[in-house]
Amino acid sequence: MSKLEETVRNSASQIREHSPHWLVRNVSSPTLQALPEIHLSFTEQRQLHAALSPLAIRDSASGIDRMPALAQLLERVLSADKQQVLRDFPKSEAVALIVRGLPIDAQLPATPYDDEPGIEDLPVLSGAILGVLAALGTRPVGYQGESDKTVFRHVSPKQERESEASSFGSRVSLGMHVDNPHLPLTCEPVDGLSACPEYLSLTGLRCEMDVPTRIVAIRDVLDILPDFVEQELQRPNFSIRRPESFGKQGNVLENVPLLYTPATGGLHCRYNKAAVTANTANASFAMQLFSATANHPDVIRHILLQPGDLLIFKNQQTLHARDGFTPRYDGRDRWMIRVFGVDDPARVVPVNPTQPFIVRA
């Protein structure tokens, strides 16, 4: 018996539901579409490095101020077909894009183990990341509680936070989730708290070959499941907590849907098993089926990011996860830079007008 079949039986017995319409469709495995990828050539990488070096981007404020220029710089360096891939991505059905071979700084420091290091040692890579975000028309933000001064989060082990369910908790496996599910989705109004990010980017600096980032297109999951699961997830029967990475706990949203599928197309989802509670038996059953299917190998893409490789995905349409691992604390542990993107600056609430990129969450 598969994990999915076992979940169906266990959940159905709990709510005493035996109707055939609750059973999972007998469908063939989905054919995953290849993700769009951009590979910088040796010449493009070298030209971009040379153009970024004199800009000396050493903090969020100076980098964000230069984003229009960074987008133009990237456009000048990339070939026309690669520029087109970038331009097409926001409106395409693809949930993720990989840019391989961005330039990295020559003197890469040791993997940082303190909570919030700066980017002083990474001016070239930081500029390249912001250039990609600018080309996609999104604005980088950091969320209050996770970050007080920078949009760049160093995803690396933190010894004092190893058991935390966050990007710092190396020994804890992170299950499939949408980041910041307690914040207003793109289809919801903003009131007091800032918008959930449309984009999440991860850029590799040091890679652990046995710890890939796993991503799943939410539509691929829903297409496997019967219609009632999608219908249940759209009912206001879920409560949402702040993720552990924010420090401040407690429910933020009560009796809200986990999923929206607007008539205009697309979808918006806030699934995060560690932060979501189902408030009815049917909602719990639907969420269990969704979770089991989202962890099925047939819908998962495993992505390794070598130094200079950037993965950017549509946060509200994509689940992501990684396994726990044992860090060595030798300065060469797994290290990535995470940056969120919000498309509409009017949908964020700055904590301090002098740092408008740090927003309420």
Side-chain angles (χ1 to χ4, degrees), residues 95-106:
V95 298
L97 166 70
I98 302 174
V99 181
R100 298 200 183 273
L102 291 175
I104 61 173
D105 299 84

Side-chain angles (χ1 to χ4, degrees), residues 176-349:
M176 289 294 174
H177 65 285
V178 167
D179 263 33
N180 301 354
H182 63 295
L183 299 176
L185 302 179
T186 302
C187 57
E188 296 175 322
V190 169
D191 181 17
L193 298 180
S194 301
C196 180
E198 276 85 15
Y199 292 103
L200 189 159
S201 70
L202 294 168
T203 305
L205 284 163
R206 290 198 173 95
C207 180
E208 297 281 355
M209 297 301 291
D210 57 347
V211 190
T213 299
R214 305 195 307 276
I215 67 169
V216 170
I218 292 167
R219 176 47 62 192
D220 288 343
V221 177
L222 295 173
D223 284 348
I224 293 174
L225 291 166
D227 291 341
F228 87 88
V229 174
E230 188 168 325
Q231 294 163 6
E232 281 295 331
L233 296 180
Q234 292 183 83
R235 294 191 170 100
N237 293 323
F238 302 90
S239 298
I240 317 295
R241 299 178 296 280
R242 279 187 179 86
E244 190 173 343
S245 59
F246 282 83
K248 183 167 57 174
Q249 297 298 296
N251 284 0
V252 176
L253 299 174
E254 301 281 358
N255 299 317
V256 296
L258 214 58
L259 175 73
Y260 292 91
T261 55
T264 53
L267 61 83
H268 307 284
C269 183
R270 55 165 45 98
Y271 175 76
N272 183 326
K273 186 175 182 179
V276 174
T277 300
N279 298 331
T280 69
N282 284 357
S284 178
F285 182 30
M287 194 167 75
Q288 287 182 63
L289 291 180
F290 180 83
S291 176
T293 308
N295 284 282
H296 194 283
D298 289 347
V299 298
I300 297 175
R301 296 174 171 90
H302 296 78
I303 298 171
L304 288 169
L305 298 175
Q306 298 290 353
D309 290 350
L310 179 148
L311 165 68
I312 186 163
F313 54 84
K314 298 168 183 175
N315 179 54
Q316 299 171 34
Q317 300 173 31
T318 313
L319 304 174
H320 66 288
R322 66 135 174 87
D323 290 334
F325 63 98
T326 302
R328 299 175 298 274
Y329 296 111
D330 61 356
R332 296 186 60 80
D333 283 307
R334 184 177 187 262
W335 179 18
M336 298 187 295
I337 298 290
R338 187 196 72 190
V339 183
F340 289 126
V342 171
D343 287 345
D344 184 356
R347 285 175 51 80
V348 298
V349 184

